[in-house]
Amino acid sequence: MSRFTTQVLTLMSGTVPAQAAMVLAAPVLTRLYRPVDFALFALFVVGVNLISAVAAGRYEFALVLPERDEEAVNLLGLALLLSAATSLATLLLAVLLGNWLVAWFDLSGGRWLWLVSPGVLAYSWYNIAAKWQSRKERFRNMALAEVGGCVGSLSTQIAAGLLMATPTGIPLICGNLLRRYIALGTMGHGMFGDLVRLRRELRAASIKAAALRYWRFPALASPGILIGRAAHEVPKLMLAACFAPQLLGFYSLAMRVLGTPATIIGRAASSVFFPRISKCRHDSARSRAMLLKACRGLLVMVVPPAVVLLLWADSIFAFLFGAEWAAAGHYARLLVPMLAAQFVVTPIRHTMQAFEKQSVVLAWHACFLAFSVAAFTIGYKVGSADVAILNYSLVSMFMYAVYVGMCFLYADPSLQPQPHRLAPTAAGIGH
């Protein structure tokens, strides 16, 4: 068995049980909470995902690139500080804009807004810790973090649903936060241990040099991922604002259940694939061979379940989650084209970061967002959420296909920035 396969399986030993538990718990949660509660939870996740995506300036993705830990640790310190500052700024925004957001969405009186700031910190530091663990190849710790976080999350959500006379979306949010903090505690032990061990290498000049060396990540990758996340979150926001909050609850359940295979396989494979493609990014033959093997294998895997969902998604959802949630199965059927393409792309989604083509990714994300808004605008104009979701699904499938083509194209080293070294700083940091 190859080292790559072994590492993927190690990560999947944590992600598979964790994500399987999330799916198995869904029939329980749908009988404890209402669609509007899932809608509230989905809005929270939208806000946290959008902000945490750029909280560290995307410097977490540069952590695997330096050859020496002495340079990488300065990027680590920078990413952690930026994320903490962003979390505090989010709290200020909640104070200033809270009333406006509550009036716009009219869900649960706005109490959930105060949980966004700690959510941003948990999500962003979790992402940083995961990238650092990937650099150090501590895949077992990452697997344990997934399991521990999942147990804590589901226990909180189910217990609150059983004990509360009228459950709301707040326990769903609190359980999600607990999951991130438990996982962060598991992975953070090694990350902060390395930070302490290498603390003598942390210098203001070294941090500045590393920040300048990888300037493309905050300057180009941050706007790109923000626009990209917006393209994925637009459906949720427009469903809640233009149609009805309950539709967001149905949509979020469909995405939660059907997105699990992509999460299980995609995240595990991506954590291993990204550092490997980074190391051979100047070898077009090896890079394209890795990309082709990954895409071909995932495409074969996704076709059978996609056919099943196209035929029987409505009945499957009604049986598993209750008749009240049959509409979620209908939306799941409409989302099959997008989810199938997403399943193939997820493991290789950071390839363009490895090729340092952030400007190209930015343009791709901008097109994705524009097409997504257009897809939902058409649905809104004709007064049909079905039309909006189907349009969005087909647009997404097309854009994912374009992304795969871009990865193969820019595997050519002549189209990538050429490696160079900065002058050594006072701490001896260079690249």
Side-chain angles (χ1 to χ4, degrees):
M1 185 181 297
S2 68
R3 186 183 180 189
F4 175 80
T5 302
T6 301
Q7 292 172 338
V8 171
L9 290 176
T10 299
L11 278 175
M12 289 181 65
S13 68
T15 55
V16 169
Q19 297 300 324
M22 297 293 286
V23 173
L24 292 174
V28 178
L29 294 175
T30 54
R31 287 167 172 82
L32 295 174
Y33 298 92
R34 301 163 298 168
V36 70
D37 299 328
F38 276 82
L40 174 64
F41 176 51
L43 282 177
F44 166 81
V45 174
V46 167
V48 172
N49 274 339
L50 286 173
I51 300 171
S52 64
V54 297
R58 302 302 280 177
Y59 278 117
E60 67 269 29
F61 286 94
L63 290 175
V64 300
L65 299 180
E67 296 178 2
R68 304 170 59 221
D69 283 349
E70 290 79 5
E71 181 180 357
V73 75
N74 286 282
L75 284 171
L76 175 61
L78 176 62
L80 292 172
L81 288 173
L82 288 174
S83 298
T86 304
S87 177
L88 290 175
T90 303
L91 181 60
L92 179 61
L93 286 175
V95 174
L96 296 176
L97 303 178
N99 291 335
W100 177 79
L101 291 172
V102 170
W104 184 264
F105 293 106
D106 191 27
L107 284 171
S108 196
R111 295 190 302 273
W112 60 279
L113 288 174
W114 302 106
L115 298 173
V116 174
S117 178
V120 168
L121 186 66
Y123 273 58
S124 56
W125 278 19
Y126 170 88
N127 291 335
I128 294 167
K131 294 298 179 290
W132 185 261
Q133 298 293 72
S134 180
R135 172 185 175 84
K136 306 300 289 184
E137 297 188 356
R138 296 170 182 155
F139 299 112
R140 179 175 173 78
N141 284 352
M142 297 172 70
L144 292 174
E146 287 287 339
V147 174
C150 179
V151 171
S153 174
L154 292 178
S155 299
T156 300
Q157 293 170 342
I158 293 175
L162 291 172
L163 295 175
M164 294 177 66
T166 306
T168 67
I170 301 297
L172 293 174
I173 295 174
C174 291
N176 180 266
L177 281 178
L178 183 62
R179 177 183 182 183
R180 293 295 183 179
Y181 277 110
I182 290 175
L184 176 60
T186 303
M187 293 190 295
H189 177 73
M191 179 182 69
F192 288 112
D194 291 333
L195 194 63
V196 171
R197 178 174 58 84
L198 296 168
R199 64 186 181 278
R200 296 183 183 276
E201 304 295 336
L202 287 169
R203 300 286 190 277
S206 302
I207 292 175
K208 181 179 179 180
L212 291 174
R213 164 65 182 89
Y214 298 100
W215 66 270
R216 290 183 181 87
F217 287 87
L220 298 176
S222 288
I225 193 61
L226 187 60
I227 294 172
R229 287 284 175 89
H232 291 291
E233 305 300 354
V234 156
K236 301 173 185 177
L237 294 175
M238 294 191 75
L239 279 174
C242 299
F243 295 100
Q246 290 83 355
L247 298 187
L248 176 55
F250 296 135
Y251 179 92
S252 64
L253 178 67
M255 293 298 295
R256 173 178 179 148
V257 174
L258 300 186
T260 297
T263 301
I264 291 176
I265 298 175
R267 285 186 179 178
S270 178
S271 295
V272 180
F273 188 86
F274 182 56
R276 288 172 67 90
I277 198 72
S278 298
K279 291 177 181 177
C280 68
R281 63 186 183 276
H282 299 304
D283 185 336
S284 60
R286 288 182 60 195
S287 296
R288 285 170 176 159
M290 289 180 63
L291 287 165
L292 180 61
K293 183 177 181 180
C295 292
R296 185 168 53 195
L298 292 165
L299 186 61
V300 170
M301 292 174 62
V302 78
V303 170
V307 172
V308 171
L309 288 171
L310 284 172
L311 296 175
W312 300 296
D314 303 57
S315 301
I316 292 173
F317 271 71
F319 174 75
L320 291 177
F321 308 112
E324 184 183 12
W325 293 89
H330 174 65
Y331 291 150
R333 188 155 50 84
L334 298 176
L335 290 167
V336 165
M338 180 195 75
L339 291 168
Q342 190 179 70
F343 180 85
V344 174
V345 171
T346 296
I348 66 168
R349 67 189 187 278
H350 300 313
T351 298
M352 295 292 284
Q353 303 282 2
F355 295 161
E356 298 190 54
K357 300 303 296 183
Q358 290 87 348
S359 60
V360 178
V361 176
L362 176 59
W364 179 82
H365 281 312
C367 292
F368 203 151
L369 177 58
F371 288 147
S372 298
V373 172
F376 266 80
T377 300
I378 292 172
Y380 175 68
K381 291 294 185 180
V382 302
S384 172
D386 287 6
V387 171
I389 292 174
L390 180 59
N391 286 345
Y392 173 71
S393 181
L394 296 175
V395 162
S396 299
M397 180 180 66
F398 170 75
M399 291 304 299
Y400 284 131
V402 170
Y403 188 86
V404 172
M406 286 168 25
C407 289
F408 278 93
L409 173 64
Y410 287 102
D412 184 348
S414 67
L415 300 176
Q416 303 171 23
Q418 297 304 306
H420 64 279
R421 290 186 176 272
L422 297 176
T425 66
I429 303 301
H431 190 79

